[in-house]
């Protein structure tokens, strides 16, 4: 016997052992007995057999609903085996035809009902399996959600917390009932004036409200269990932020120390070396008028004075490069204008300088950083750009200073990231970015091969 045949045989044997199925067989036998009795005892009423035969629909449909296609076929076959021979023997003419048609209709209804029931049962079984898999998946997800060491919250479509794991409760120091219904804006803030929580961003960094010393990195993804919500992971990055702050403070102190040292060296050169050279020039001036017979000596003295003058000019250049006095005495605008004039004097490239807004002094660190960035930008123009025109713009707004250095030179491929600058050894540009970050400014460099270069500095006041 093949595998399918054995399975069918086992299913039939299992059906025959069920009392309910045996009851349907007995019901069919009772209906057959009633039909036989009507035909035998009441031969004058041949039409009475027709409604009795229709009673077979009860066991047949019952078997179809409770035992499926196999039970329906067995019950229908058993009933037909009992009653159809009686119909053929006892009835004639149209009565026999009508009863046979009834049996055909009954068998068709039985099979149709059984097929529909089996299909419904299979679909229900598949639905039950899917529901069980879903429950298992939800249980697994719940276990992962609860045991995740990273603070995790689920947000609904209005970006409010509907669930929070124990790690999130610990991070915010709030029970789940207090977290439910809160938005990210209620829990976090960004430590910058006028900046709101970027609710639609997939990643940003903020601080916990009321605890500015606790930094968190927020990573948002679509929620697995909620098609209309989001799952948000909150990583505690306080240690990393403190390390960055310490590094920034250290770098700022190093730059501040460099500027102070430059100021000191410039002052010493001005007060000592330059004054000494000036004194030499004056002494040479006092002995310059000599007799004509001493013309050779006079020429040597003039040459010595010229050398001393060159020394003075060189020292003044060093002093201005170390720490331009005009930056401390007259302010940033005058110092930037002097940078532009110096470039025009050295190279002959026209530099158009413009300033707008109400000029006001910035902190020493901010003025120094903006000056050094502009100085590096003009140095790059002088060394690499081969520009025909240079434009410098200084604009004072209510809460911001904007400085722009624009040239029409050969340009270059602007770097896409800091890592690119490090790999390409572009230390000058890297230093410009670092100075801007240390002063709280924003630096933007736009350039392209053959398109010139635009350097923009935006410094908050």
């Amino acid at each position: 016997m093949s595998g399918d045949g054995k399975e069918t045989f086992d299913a039939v044997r299992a059906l025959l052992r069920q009392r309910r199925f045996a009851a349907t067989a007995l019901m069919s036998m009772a209906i057959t007995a009633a039909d036989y009795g009507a035909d035998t005892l009441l031969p004058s009423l041949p039409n009475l057999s027709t409604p009795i035969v229709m009673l077979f629909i009860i066991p047949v449909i019952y078997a179809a609903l409770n035992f499926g296609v196999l039970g329906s076929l067995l019950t229908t076959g058993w009933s037909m085996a009992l009653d159809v021979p009686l119909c053929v023997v006892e009835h004639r003419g149209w009565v026999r035809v009508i009863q046979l048609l009834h049996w055909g209709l009954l068998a068709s209804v039985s099979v149709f009902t059984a097929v529909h029931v089996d299909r419904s049962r299979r679909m229900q079984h598949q639905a039950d399996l899917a529901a069980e898999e879903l429950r298992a998946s939800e249980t697994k997800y719940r276990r992962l959600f609860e045991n995740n060491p990273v603070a995790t919250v689920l947000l609904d479509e209005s970006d409010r917390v509907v669930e929070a794991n124990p790690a999130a409760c610990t991070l915010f120091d709030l029970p789940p009932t207090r977290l439910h219904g809160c938005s990210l804006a209620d829990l976090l803030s960004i430590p910058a004036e006028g900046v709101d929580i970027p609710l639609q961003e997939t990643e940003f960094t903020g601080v916990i409200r009321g605890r500015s010393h606790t930094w968190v990195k927020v990573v948002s993804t679509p929620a697995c269990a909620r098609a209309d919500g989001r799952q948000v992971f909150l990583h505690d990055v306080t240690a990393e932020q403190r390390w960055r702050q310490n590094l920034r403070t250290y770098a700022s102190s190093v730059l501040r120390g460099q500027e102070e040292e430059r100021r000191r060296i410039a002052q010493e050169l001005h007060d000592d070396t330059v004054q000494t050279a000036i004194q030499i020039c004056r002494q040479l001036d006092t002995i310059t008028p000599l007799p004509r017979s001493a013309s050779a000596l006079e020429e040597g003295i003039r040459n010595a004075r010229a050398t001393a003058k060159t020394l003075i000019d060189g020292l003044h250049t060093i002093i201005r490069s170390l720490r331009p006095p005009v930056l401390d005495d007259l302010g940033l605008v005058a110092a930037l204008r002097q940078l532009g004039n110096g470039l025009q004097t050295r190279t002959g490239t026209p530099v158009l300088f413009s300033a707008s807004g109400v000029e006001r002094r910035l902190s020493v660190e901010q003025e120094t950083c903006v000056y050094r960035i502009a100085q590096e930008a003009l140095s790059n123009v002088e060394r690499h750009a081969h520009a025909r025109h240079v434009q410098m713009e200084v604009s004072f707004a209510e809460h911001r200073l904007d400085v722009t250095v624009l040239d029409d030179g050969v340009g270059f491929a602007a770097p896409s990231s800091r890592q690119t600058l490090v790999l390409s050894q572009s230390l000058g540009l890297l230093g410009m970015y670092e100075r801007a970050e240390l002063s709280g400014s924003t630096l933007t460099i736009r350039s392209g091969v053959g398109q010139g270069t635009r350097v923009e500095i935006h410094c908050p006041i």
Side-chain angles (χ1 to χ4, degrees), residues 149-424:
V150 178
T152 309
V153 296
L154 295 181
L155 306 180
D156 59 15
E157 63 277 3
S158 60
D159 282 321
R160 295 195 171 274
V161 177
V162 293
E163 289 192 61
N165 70 347
C169 297
T170 302
L171 177 65
F172 292 106
D173 196 20
L174 292 173
T177 53
R178 290 282 304 278
L179 284 176
H180 289 176
C182 294
S183 67
L184 287 183
D186 298 330
L187 301 172
L188 302 173
S189 64
I190 293 181
E193 184 177 355
V195 179
D196 297 328
I197 287 290
L199 293 177
Q200 302 307 317
E201 295 293 331
T202 57
E203 185 174 322
F204 63 91
T205 302
V207 296
I208 297 178
R209 287 194 178 275
R211 289 155 54 191
S212 58
H213 61 282
T214 304
W215 286 78
V216 292
K217 180 180 180 182
V218 181
V219 180
S220 175
T221 61
C224 299
R226 300 177 60 86
D228 54 352
R230 293 190 296 156
Q231 183 175 238
V232 177
F233 300 97
L234 303 112
H235 303 267
D236 190 340
V237 293
T238 304
E240 180 182 347
Q241 287 294 328
R242 287 176 179 172
W243 178 81
R244 288 184 177 179
Q245 184 63 37
N246 292 338
L247 182 61
R248 192 176 295 115
T249 303
Y250 172 74
S252 179
S253 64
V254 169
L255 289 177
R256 191 180 300 111
Q258 288 179 343
E259 292 299 328
E260 291 297 329
E261 184 65 15
R262 288 178 173 184
R263 187 196 303 269
R264 183 188 66 80
I265 295 174
Q267 190 66 38
E268 289 183 359
L269 287 174
H270 180 272
D271 295 343
D272 188 7
T273 309
V274 172
Q275 296 304 319
T276 302
I278 292 174
Q279 186 177 1
I280 292 174
C281 289
R282 289 176 178 174
Q283 290 173 352
L284 292 172
D285 287 340
T286 60
I287 63 174
T288 297
L290 292 174
R292 292 182 180 274
S293 60
S295 59
L297 178 60
E298 184 177 356
E299 181 67 22
I301 292 174
R302 286 196 182 96
N303 292 337
R305 189 185 185 284
T307 302
K309 183 64 170 60
T310 302
L311 173 62
I312 294 172
D313 293 340
L315 289 173
H316 279 147
T317 302
I318 294 174
I319 291 171
R320 284 194 296 270
S321 64
L322 286 172
R323 179 69 185 182
V326 66
L327 183 60
D328 294 324
D329 299 337
L330 301 181
L332 183 60
V333 174
L336 293 177
R337 181 181 283 110
Q338 187 182 75
L339 280 177
N341 292 338
L343 175 66
Q344 182 169 320
T345 301
R346 290 190 305 273
T347 65
T349 303
V351 178
L352 177 62
F353 185 91
S354 64
S356 61
V358 180
E359 180 182 357
R360 47 197 185 277
R361 298 302 298 263
L362 283 65
S363 67
V364 175
E365 289 80 6
Q366 286 180 314
E367 287 188 343
T368 301
C369 285
V370 172
Y371 178 84
R372 294 301 183 194
I373 293 172
Q375 185 181 41
E376 181 66 23
L378 290 177
S379 176
N380 289 335
V381 172
E382 182 176 355
R383 289 180 295 166
H384 308 298
H386 305 293
R388 292 175 297 176
H389 302 87
V390 178
Q391 186 173 348
M392 297 182 68
E393 299 175 357
V394 182
S395 174
F396 284 90
E398 184 176 0
H399 297 293
R400 194 175 74 176
L401 166 66
D402 298 326
V403 177
T404 303
V405 178
L406 176 65
D407 70 76
D408 59 356
V410 297
F412 63 99
S416 58
S417 65
R418 300 277 187 90
Q419 185 68 20
T420 305
L421 289 175
V422 174
L423 294 176
S424 62

